[in-house]
Amino acid sequence: MTSKNDPDPCCPARLVLDRIGDKWSVLVVLSLGDGPRRFSELRATLHHVTPKVLTHTLRGMERDGLLTRQVFAEVPPRVEYELTPLGHSLRPAVDLLTEWAEKHVDEVLDLRKAYDADSMS
């Protein structure tokens, strides 16, 4: 028997947590919060993500119903990604995490620096 603090790896909720807890998925939710974006716009917003990782993330999010992918019949083809209502429902949780991170970033960085200094001695 497991508790909420020790989730069973086979628990169905764990499958969802693995998706929304993924580094890039959270950033994609933030990036698409203001409306649809093209792949290149997402890459520019996310900076350090490789095309392969971003493609994998977007496909997983599409599969999980968090975003849609729309292909426009243009030359060259244009593809846009947009959050679904389910994806938008994540925004309040992601916004809370972002707010917490912004509030505590200096403290975390100071503690990380202190930890690293102690580890070196």
Side-chain angles (χ1 to χ4, degrees), residues 17-43:
L17 290 172
D18 286 346
R19 166 67 55 219
I20 62 175
D22 170 79
K23 171 185 178 178
W24 297 113
S25 295
V26 169
L27 295 174
V28 167
V29 170
L30 284 172
S31 184
L32 292 177
D34 295 329
R37 289 184 186 258
R38 296 176 71 170
F39 186 89
S40 59
E41 293 173 314
L42 283 169
R43 261 205 82 213

Short mmCIF file of all heavy atoms in Angstrom, two decimals, residues 17-43:
data_model
loop_
_atom_site.label_atom_id
_atom_site.label_comp_id
_atom_site.label_asym_id
_atom_site.label_seq_id
_atom_site.Cartn_x
_atom_site.Cartn_y
_atom_site.Cartn_z
N LEU A 17 1.49 12.50 -13.96
CA LEU A 17 2.51 13.29 -13.28
C LEU A 17 3.84 13.26 -14.03
O LEU A 17 4.55 14.26 -14.07
CB LEU A 17 2.70 12.81 -11.84
CG LEU A 17 1.53 13.12 -10.90
CD1 LEU A 17 1.74 12.42 -9.56
CD2 LEU A 17 1.36 14.62 -10.71
N ASP A 18 4.16 12.12 -14.61
CA ASP A 18 5.39 12.03 -15.39
C ASP A 18 5.35 13.00 -16.57
O ASP A 18 6.36 13.60 -16.92
CB ASP A 18 5.62 10.61 -15.90
CG ASP A 18 6.08 9.66 -14.81
OD1 ASP A 18 6.49 10.13 -13.72
OD2 ASP A 18 6.05 8.44 -15.05
N ARG A 19 4.20 13.16 -17.21
CA ARG A 19 4.07 14.08 -18.35
C ARG A 19 4.15 15.52 -17.89
O ARG A 19 4.93 16.31 -18.39
CB ARG A 19 2.75 13.84 -19.09
CG ARG A 19 2.35 14.94 -20.06
CD ARG A 19 3.24 15.09 -21.28
NE ARG A 19 3.33 13.83 -21.96
CZ ARG A 19 4.45 13.36 -22.53
NH1 ARG A 19 5.54 14.05 -22.52
NH2 ARG A 19 4.46 12.19 -23.12
N ILE A 20 3.30 15.89 -16.92
CA ILE A 20 3.23 17.31 -16.55
C ILE A 20 4.39 17.73 -15.66
O ILE A 20 4.65 18.92 -15.51
CB ILE A 20 1.87 17.67 -15.91
CG1 ILE A 20 1.65 16.90 -14.61
CG2 ILE A 20 0.74 17.47 -16.89
CD1 ILE A 20 0.41 17.31 -13.86
N GLY A 21 5.12 16.75 -15.13
CA GLY A 21 6.29 17.08 -14.33
C GLY A 21 7.55 17.17 -15.16
O GLY A 21 8.61 17.56 -14.68
N ASP A 22 7.45 16.84 -16.42
CA ASP A 22 8.57 16.92 -17.34
C ASP A 22 8.97 18.39 -17.53
O ASP A 22 8.12 19.25 -17.70
CB ASP A 22 8.13 16.30 -18.68
CG ASP A 22 9.11 16.53 -19.78
OD1 ASP A 22 10.12 15.82 -19.82
OD2 ASP A 22 8.87 17.43 -20.60
N LYS A 23 10.25 18.64 -17.49
CA LYS A 23 10.79 20.01 -17.61
C LYS A 23 10.23 20.75 -18.82
O LYS A 23 9.74 21.88 -18.70
CB LYS A 23 12.31 19.93 -17.70
CG LYS A 23 12.99 21.22 -18.05
CD LYS A 23 14.47 20.98 -18.22
CE LYS A 23 15.21 22.23 -18.63
NZ LYS A 23 16.65 21.99 -18.75
N TRP A 24 10.27 20.12 -19.97
CA TRP A 24 9.88 20.83 -21.18
C TRP A 24 8.37 20.98 -21.30
O TRP A 24 7.89 21.98 -21.83
CB TRP A 24 10.48 20.14 -22.41
CG TRP A 24 11.98 20.18 -22.37
CD1 TRP A 24 12.82 19.12 -22.22
CD2 TRP A 24 12.82 21.34 -22.43
NE1 TRP A 24 14.12 19.55 -22.20
CE2 TRP A 24 14.15 20.91 -22.33
CE3 TRP A 24 12.56 22.70 -22.56
CZ2 TRP A 24 15.23 21.78 -22.35
CZ3 TRP A 24 13.64 23.58 -22.59
CH2 TRP A 24 14.95 23.12 -22.48
N SER A 25 7.60 20.01 -20.82
CA SER A 25 6.14 20.11 -20.89
C SER A 25 5.64 21.33 -20.13
O SER A 25 4.77 22.06 -20.62
CB SER A 25 5.48 18.85 -20.35
OG SER A 25 5.79 17.74 -21.16
N VAL A 26 6.18 21.55 -18.95
CA VAL A 26 5.77 22.71 -18.16
C VAL A 26 6.09 24.00 -18.90
O VAL A 26 5.27 24.92 -18.96
CB VAL A 26 6.45 22.69 -16.77
CG1 VAL A 26 6.26 23.99 -16.03
CG2 VAL A 26 5.93 21.53 -15.94
N LEU A 27 7.27 24.06 -19.50
CA LEU A 27 7.65 25.26 -20.23
C LEU A 27 6.82 25.45 -21.50
O LEU A 27 6.52 26.58 -21.89
CB LEU A 27 9.15 25.23 -20.55
CG LEU A 27 10.06 25.27 -19.31
CD1 LEU A 27 11.52 25.09 -19.71
CD2 LEU A 27 9.86 26.55 -18.52
N VAL A 28 6.43 24.36 -22.13
CA VAL A 28 5.54 24.46 -23.30
C VAL A 28 4.18 25.00 -22.87
O VAL A 28 3.61 25.87 -23.54
CB VAL A 28 5.40 23.09 -24.02
CG1 VAL A 28 4.25 23.11 -25.02
CG2 VAL A 28 6.70 22.71 -24.71
N VAL A 29 3.65 24.52 -21.76
CA VAL A 29 2.37 25.05 -21.24
C VAL A 29 2.49 26.56 -21.02
O VAL A 29 1.60 27.32 -21.42
CB VAL A 29 1.94 24.32 -19.96
CG1 VAL A 29 0.76 25.03 -19.29
CG2 VAL A 29 1.56 22.88 -20.26
N LEU A 30 3.57 27.00 -20.40
CA LEU A 30 3.77 28.44 -20.19
C LEU A 30 3.85 29.18 -21.52
O LEU A 30 3.24 30.24 -21.69
CB LEU A 30 5.05 28.69 -19.39
CG LEU A 30 4.99 28.41 -17.91
CD1 LEU A 30 6.38 28.51 -17.29
CD2 LEU A 30 4.04 29.38 -17.22
N SER A 31 4.59 28.63 -22.47
CA SER A 31 4.79 29.30 -23.75
C SER A 31 3.51 29.39 -24.57
O SER A 31 3.29 30.38 -25.26
CB SER A 31 5.87 28.55 -24.54
OG SER A 31 6.14 29.21 -25.73
N LEU A 32 2.67 28.35 -24.49
CA LEU A 32 1.43 28.34 -25.27
C LEU A 32 0.26 28.99 -24.53
O LEU A 32 -0.83 29.08 -25.08
CB LEU A 32 1.06 26.91 -25.66
CG LEU A 32 1.99 26.21 -26.64
CD1 LEU A 32 1.53 24.77 -26.88
CD2 LEU A 32 2.06 26.97 -27.96
N GLY A 33 0.50 29.46 -23.32
CA GLY A 33 -0.57 30.05 -22.53
C GLY A 33 -1.21 31.26 -23.15
O GLY A 33 -2.39 31.56 -22.90
N ASP A 34 -0.46 31.98 -23.99
CA ASP A 34 -1.00 33.19 -24.61
C ASP A 34 -1.51 32.98 -26.03
O ASP A 34 -1.87 33.92 -26.71
CB ASP A 34 0.07 34.29 -24.61
CG ASP A 34 0.44 34.73 -23.21
OD1 ASP A 34 -0.44 34.69 -22.32
OD2 ASP A 34 1.61 35.09 -22.99
N GLY A 35 -1.50 31.73 -26.47
CA GLY A 35 -2.02 31.44 -27.80
C GLY A 35 -1.11 30.52 -28.58
O GLY A 35 -0.04 30.11 -28.11
N PRO A 36 -1.54 30.17 -29.79
CA PRO A 36 -0.79 29.20 -30.60
C PRO A 36 0.57 29.73 -31.01
O PRO A 36 0.78 30.95 -31.13
CB PRO A 36 -1.68 28.97 -31.82
CG PRO A 36 -2.68 30.05 -31.82
CD PRO A 36 -2.73 30.65 -30.45
N ARG A 37 1.49 28.78 -31.23
CA ARG A 37 2.84 29.12 -31.69
C ARG A 37 3.31 28.07 -32.68
O ARG A 37 2.94 26.92 -32.60
CB ARG A 37 3.83 29.17 -30.53
CG ARG A 37 3.63 30.34 -29.60
CD ARG A 37 4.73 30.33 -28.56
NE ARG A 37 4.52 31.34 -27.57
CZ ARG A 37 5.15 32.50 -27.54
NH1 ARG A 37 6.05 32.79 -28.44
NH2 ARG A 37 4.91 33.37 -26.59
N ARG A 38 4.19 28.52 -33.55
CA ARG A 38 4.85 27.60 -34.48
C ARG A 38 6.00 26.92 -33.77
O ARG A 38 6.49 27.39 -32.73
CB ARG A 38 5.34 28.37 -35.70
CG ARG A 38 4.18 28.98 -36.49
CD ARG A 38 4.67 29.80 -37.62
NE ARG A 38 5.23 28.92 -38.66
CZ ARG A 38 5.58 29.34 -39.85
NH1 ARG A 38 5.42 30.59 -40.18
NH2 ARG A 38 6.08 28.50 -40.73
N PHE A 39 6.47 25.82 -34.34
CA PHE A 39 7.58 25.06 -33.77
C PHE A 39 8.79 25.96 -33.53
O PHE A 39 9.40 25.95 -32.47
CB PHE A 39 7.94 23.90 -34.70
CG PHE A 39 8.98 22.97 -34.14
CD1 PHE A 39 8.62 21.88 -33.37
CD2 PHE A 39 10.33 23.18 -34.40
CE1 PHE A 39 9.57 21.02 -32.86
CE2 PHE A 39 11.29 22.32 -33.91
CZ PHE A 39 10.91 21.24 -33.13
N SER A 40 9.14 26.75 -34.54
CA SER A 40 10.32 27.62 -34.43
C SER A 40 10.15 28.66 -33.33
O SER A 40 11.11 29.01 -32.65
CB SER A 40 10.63 28.29 -35.77
OG SER A 40 9.53 29.06 -36.19
N GLU A 41 8.92 29.15 -33.14
CA GLU A 41 8.66 30.11 -32.07
C GLU A 41 8.82 29.44 -30.70
O GLU A 41 9.38 30.05 -29.78
CB GLU A 41 7.25 30.69 -32.20
CG GLU A 41 7.05 31.56 -33.42
CD GLU A 41 5.60 31.98 -33.60
OE1 GLU A 41 4.71 31.11 -33.48
OE2 GLU A 41 5.38 33.16 -33.88
N LEU A 42 8.33 28.21 -30.59
CA LEU A 42 8.50 27.48 -29.33
C LEU A 42 9.98 27.26 -29.04
O LEU A 42 10.44 27.47 -27.92
CB LEU A 42 7.78 26.13 -29.39
CG LEU A 42 6.27 26.18 -29.22
CD1 LEU A 42 5.66 24.83 -29.56
CD2 LEU A 42 5.91 26.58 -27.80
N ARG A 43 10.72 26.83 -30.03
CA ARG A 43 12.16 26.59 -29.85
C ARG A 43 12.86 27.86 -29.40
O ARG A 43 13.71 27.84 -28.52
CB ARG A 43 12.79 26.11 -31.15
CG ARG A 43 12.94 24.62 -31.12
CD ARG A 43 14.01 24.08 -31.98
NE ARG A 43 15.32 24.14 -31.35
CZ ARG A 43 16.44 24.33 -32.01
NH1 ARG A 43 16.43 24.51 -33.30
NH2 ARG A 43 17.58 24.35 -31.39
#
